[in-house]
């Protein structure tokens, strides 16, 4: 069996996202117990948006999360006064930027390969 990869999502050419911003795949964008086990990256957080990039990337890790609907939670790389932010803690991702659907086994199912 092979898992799926999050290749790239969240096109940013028409949004306010800028270099260094990140998104997190979460169960909610409330900063509390929002992480989803099995999403690549530390705590399901994307890599920093690269200069000139229009998509967020999660690298080469495979998705091992249960199938379901999850939220894309956004974090700006700096505050309004340009103070940098690390965007490394779920509490930093409070802006709901959309939904991602993971297709695959739901809880209670067994799959053999």
């Amino acid at each position: 069996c092979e898992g799926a990869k999050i290749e790239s999502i969240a096109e940013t050419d028409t949004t306010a996202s800028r270099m260094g911003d990140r998104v997190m795949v979460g169960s909610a964008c409330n900063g509390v117990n929002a992480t989803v086990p099995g999403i690549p990256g530390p705590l399901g957080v994307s890599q920093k948006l690269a200069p000139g990039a229009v998509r967020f990337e999660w690298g080469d890790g495979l998705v091992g999360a249960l199938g379901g609907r999850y939220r894309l939670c956004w974090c700006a790389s700096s505050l309004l006064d340009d103070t940098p932010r690390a965007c490394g803690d779920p509490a930093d991702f409070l802006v709901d930027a959309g939904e991602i659907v993971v297709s695959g086994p739901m809880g209670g199912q067994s799959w053999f390969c």
Side-chain angles (χ1 to χ4, degrees), residues 27-28 30-36 90:
S27 57
N30 60 10
V32 182
N33 299 320
T35 58
V36 177

Side-chain angles (χ1 to χ4, degrees), residues 21-112:
D21 290 359
R22 294 178 182 229
V23 291
M24 176 185 81
V25 177
S27 57
C29 300
N30 60 10
V32 182
N33 299 320
T35 58
V36 177
I39 298 294
L43 301 175
V45 174
S46 71
Q47 298 170 352
K48 290 181 180 179
L49 191 62
V54 295
R55 298 178 185 174
F56 291 97
E57 305 279 341
W58 275 260
D60 292 329
L62 297 179
V63 175
L66 291 176
R69 295 177 179 275
Y70 301 103
R71 304 310 305 164
L72 289 173
C73 307
W74 177 74
C75 176
S77 61
S78 62
L79 300 174
L80 292 175
D81 65 0
D82 286 331
T83 302
R85 295 174 69 191
C87 295
D89 185 274
D92 296 328
F93 296 86
L94 301 178
V95 177
D96 192 315
E99 179 180 70
I100 182 170
V101 177
V102 175
S103 297
M106 304 302 267
Q109 295 177 321
S110 296
W111 292 76
F112 297 95

